[in-house]
Amino acid sequence: MVQPPLPHDSAGAGVPISNVRHVPLHAHSLLRHAASVHADATITSVSLSGLATRMSYAQLEDRALQHARQLRALGVGTGDVVVNMGVSSAEQLAWLYGALSIGATTHLMNPLLLPEQVLQLIAAAHPSVLLHDTATAQIASAVPAVVHAIPHLNMDAPPKAPAWGPQGSRAASTFSEESPAIVCYSSGTTGLPKAAQYTHRSTVLHAWGCALPDAMALTARDRVLPLMQMFHATAWGAPFVSPLVGASLILVPPSRDPKQWYEWIEAHEATVLGAVTAHWMALVQYMQANKLRFSTLLRTVVGGTRLPEAVARVIAEGLGVEVRHAWGMTETSPLATMERYASNANLLRHGKPVFGVELRVGNECAGARSQRLDELQVRGHWVAHRGDGDWLQTGDWAALHADGHLEVIDRMEDALNGDASLISSALVEFHARRVPGAADAALVKMDSSETVLAWVRHPQADEATVTLALRQMLAEAFGGWTPDHLMAVDALPYTHSAKVQKNQLKPVLAQRLRANAAAH
C-alpha cells in the first residue's frame, strides 16, 4: 500500500513531529508524586496497643529524604543491599523509599520466620546495613554471629540526618529503571523461603496494574488497610499503589485477633481491606457472633487460599462489602488476576489476568477450547522468573476457561485425587470448619499418599461425635470421599500470612500414625 505524503506547510516544508521520549520508571517517584499532588493524604501507623500516629505524604517524603542522607553517610549507594526487618509502619516505609531513591536494594525480611531462617537469609543477602525496629531488636542483635560486622539502625529512633546537603534536596536518579529495588520472600511453608526480586520498573507497573478499575479500583477517596505485612509481597503493593492514586494508607502490625482487625477498620475508617481467606473466615465468624456491621468498609481484596463462595456471599450480601477475589504469589509481585464476586454466580473462581500478565496451563493459553487441568504458568511485566524460561511455573493445578477466567484448584503437592476429579484441600478444610465442635482444620497428604485431616477440638466438644460428623459432612460434600485418617490436635502451626505450615504438621501426624499402628 502506498503511504500518503506528509502534510506540508505553506513553505513546502514537512510538519514538525513531536516524539515521546523515554522517562525511566523509578519506584520512589510514586512518593514524589503523592507529596506534590496528594500532600494531605495520610499514612497511619497503628501499634498492637492501639496507639496510632499519622503523617502526610509530604511529611513521609521529607522523612525518606532524611533517611536517604543517613544511608549515604554510611556509604550505602547504588547497588548496595539494605535489610529492612520490621513490622509495617510509616517509619519502615520511609526507610524503604529512602533506600529506593539512592538505588539501594531493600530486602524486606520477615522477622516471624524461624530464627535460623532469618539469619541464613540475611547472610545470603550480604547487606551493607541492617534496619530493625523496637519489636525486632532482639533478633537483629543475633545477626553479627553469621554476618560480618555491619551497622544496625533502629527505625523507631528519631532520624539523625547528616549536616551536609539541603534539607529537602532530591538527587537525580542516575540508575536504570531495571535496577533491583526490592526483594521479598515467600512464606516458607515448604522449607527455606524463596526470594523474588522486583525492579523499579516492575514495581511502578505493578502499582499501575493494581489501580485499574477491574483490579483494586483505588482512588484518592479511599483509605486502604492491608492486614498483610510489608514483608509479605510489599503488603500486596499497597505502599506503592496508594501514593500513585492518593489513597490514604493504614499500616497495622501482625495480629491473629479478628476483634482487633474489626476495631482497626472502624477506628481508622478504612474503605478497602486487603486480607487472606483465613482472615475473612475468622472475621465473619466474630462479626456474626457479636451482631456487628461495618460503618465505612466498601470493598475487600481477598487472596491466599481459595475463598469459598458461601463466605463471599456472607461478606457481600450480609455485610455489604464488595468482594474482589485475587490470585497471585510473591513471584508475581503479587497481583496477577482479579474477579469481582457476583451473587448470581454459581462459582467463585480467580478472575481474569490484569493487563501485563499472561497465563497458560501446560502449553495452553487462555481462550483455548480445552479446560483441562495442568500446571499454571505465568509471565508478565512484573513477574519474577526462576531460571532461563519465559514462563514462571507456579506449582499450582489450574484450569483456564474459554472466556479467560482462571480457576486454581490447589497446590500440586496438596491436591487430592477424587473419583472423577482433583479435590482441593482448601475446600475440604472449609467444609470441616463448618462442623460444630471443629474450631480449625488442615488436610495433609502424607509421604505414604495417605491423607490426614488434623482438626482442632472446641473445649466442650466430644471427639467421637465430631469425628463422625466430619466424615458425614465431607462424604456429602465430595461424593463419598473422606480422608484416610482424622486426628484431633491442640492447635495448628500458622505462618505470618495465615497459612498452615503443613511441613511442620506432617512429622507430628506421621509420629502419631506410627504410634497408633504399633498400639494395634
Side-chain angles (χ1 to χ4, degrees):
M1 179 178 177
V2 178
Q3 295 293 329
L6 290 173
H8 286 71
D9 59 21
S10 59
V15 175
I17 297 176
S18 298
N19 294 308
V20 175
R21 296 198 175 209
H22 174 72
V23 177
L25 300 176
H26 288 116
H28 53 282
S29 65
L30 296 167
L31 179 57
R32 183 179 304 172
H33 168 76
S36 301
V37 180
H38 304 288
D40 294 332
T42 57
I43 304 92
T44 301
S45 299
V46 185
S47 69
L48 278 173
S49 65
L51 179 66
T53 57
R54 184 174 294 179
M55 67 173 66
S56 67
Y57 278 121
Q59 292 170 325
L60 183 69
E61 190 196 28
D62 285 344
R63 189 65 59 88
L65 291 171
Q66 291 177 352
H67 294 327
R69 291 198 298 277
Q70 286 180 268
L71 292 172
R72 285 287 197 196
L74 292 171
V76 179
T78 301
D80 290 329
V81 171
V82 173
V83 167
N84 186 317
M85 182 170 60
V87 300
S88 291
S89 68
E91 284 298 338
Q92 185 191 35
L93 189 56
W95 279 102
L96 173 57
Y97 270 110
L100 289 170
S101 71
I102 63 173
T105 305
T106 294
H107 286 235
L108 289 170
M109 193 63 58
N110 175 9
L112 303 181
L113 293 171
L114 296 174
E116 57 268 25
Q117 291 180 328
V118 172
L119 297 181
Q120 185 175 348
L121 293 173
I122 292 177
H126 301 292
S128 297
V129 64
L130 172 62
L131 305 175
H132 64 85
D133 56 18
T134 302
T136 59
Q138 185 174 358
I139 302 173
S141 66
V143 170
V146 294
V147 184
H148 63 282
I150 56 173
H152 290 200
L153 297 179
N154 189 335
M155 293 183 286
D156 292 335
K160 299 178 180 179
W164 52 269
Q167 177 69 17
S169 63
R170 297 167 170 170
S173 301
T174 57
F175 48 89
S176 167
E177 63 178 12
E178 297 290 356
S179 299
I182 301 166
V183 171
C184 286
Y185 297 88
S186 63
S187 301
T189 55
T190 59
L192 187 68
K194 302 178 182 68
Q197 183 170 271
Y198 312 145
T199 66
H200 281 261
R201 174 183 170 82
S202 74
T203 301
V204 174
L205 292 177
H206 178 261
W208 256 322
C210 289
L212 292 171
D214 283 327
M216 296 182 183
L218 300 180
T219 74
R221 296 184 296 275
D222 281 315
R223 296 180 57 79
V224 181
L225 194 163
L227 286 177
M228 304 73 58
Q229 293 293 293
M230 283 172 54
F231 53 70
H232 184 200
T234 66
W236 294 0
F240 300 105
V241 64
S242 296
L244 183 148
V245 300
S248 291
L249 185 61
I250 305 156
L251 298 173
V252 298
S255 169
R256 292 194 59 202
D257 183 2
K259 178 177 183 291
Q260 198 162 46
W261 307 335
Y262 175 78
E263 291 173 351
W264 286 338
I265 293 166
E266 290 297 293
H268 302 288
E269 301 179 328
T271 63
V272 180
L273 179 70
V276 298
T277 294
H279 286 140
W280 265 113
M281 292 177 72
L283 189 55
V284 163
Q285 186 177 30
Y286 169 75
M287 292 182 66
Q288 288 180 328
N290 293 277
K291 297 180 172 58
L292 297 173
R293 300 279 295 181
F294 293 114
S295 52
T296 61
L297 193 64
L298 302 175
R299 184 166 64 260
T300 182
V301 178
V302 188
T305 57
R306 186 171 183 166
L307 181 69
E309 191 274 340
V311 179
R313 186 178 298 276
V314 171
I315 299 170
E317 300 179 11
L319 300 177
V321 176
E322 180 188 349
V323 176
R324 300 203 173 201
H325 194 212
W327 177 86
M329 52 198 304
T330 304
E331 289 87 346
T332 64
S333 295
L335 179 65
T337 72
M338 187 74 75
E339 175 160 356
R340 298 172 67 178
Y341 170 75
S343 58
N344 59 354
N346 295 324
L347 180 66
L348 182 64
R349 294 171 178 160
H350 294 89
K352 298 181 179 181
V354 298
F355 175 77
V357 173
E358 295 179 78
L359 306 177
R360 72 180 185 183
V361 290
N363 294 320
E364 194 170 271
C365 295
R369 292 182 180 179
S370 173
Q371 297 175 7
R372 66 184 175 87
L373 289 175
D374 209 324
E375 183 177 11
L376 176 63
Q377 299 180 37
V378 193
R379 69 179 179 184
H381 296 299
W382 51 81
V383 178
H385 299 273
R386 294 186 291 269
D388 298 328
D390 289 338
W391 293 86
L392 171 71
Q393 297 180 337
T394 66
D396 285 333
W397 284 116
L400 275 178
H401 296 266
D403 61 359
H405 273 84
L406 171 69
E407 185 174 359
V408 178
I409 306 301
D410 207 347
R411 295 294 297 169
M412 295 177 75
E413 67 264 25
D414 292 337
L416 310 169
N417 289 314
D419 292 337
S421 63
L422 287 176
I423 295 174
S424 166
S425 62
L427 290 182
V428 172
E429 292 157 2
F430 165 69
H431 284 289
R433 294 186 190 103
R434 296 172 62 196
V435 173
D440 204 352
L443 186 67
V444 179
K445 187 161 61 174
M446 309 300 290
D447 294 337
S448 61
S449 295
E450 292 182 296
T451 54
V452 179
L453 182 72
W455 61 279
V456 179
R457 181 175 65 87
H458 278 296
Q460 293 79 24
D462 176 70
E463 183 172 339
T465 301
V466 177
T467 298
L468 179 60
L470 282 168
R471 286 206 179 276
Q472 292 175 340
M473 164 71 82
L474 295 177
E476 180 180 344
F478 296 98
W481 176 91
T482 60
D484 296 308
H485 307 277
L486 286 86
M487 291 185 182
V489 297
D490 294 331
L492 298 176
Y494 274 90
T495 68
H496 63 278
S497 55
K499 296 179 181 177
V500 176
Q501 292 179 300
K502 294 184 180 181
N503 60 323
Q504 293 187 18
L505 186 58
K506 184 184 289 187
V508 175
L509 299 179
Q511 184 177 6
R512 288 185 56 177
L513 285 176
R514 290 192 296 268
N516 290 343
H520 293 86

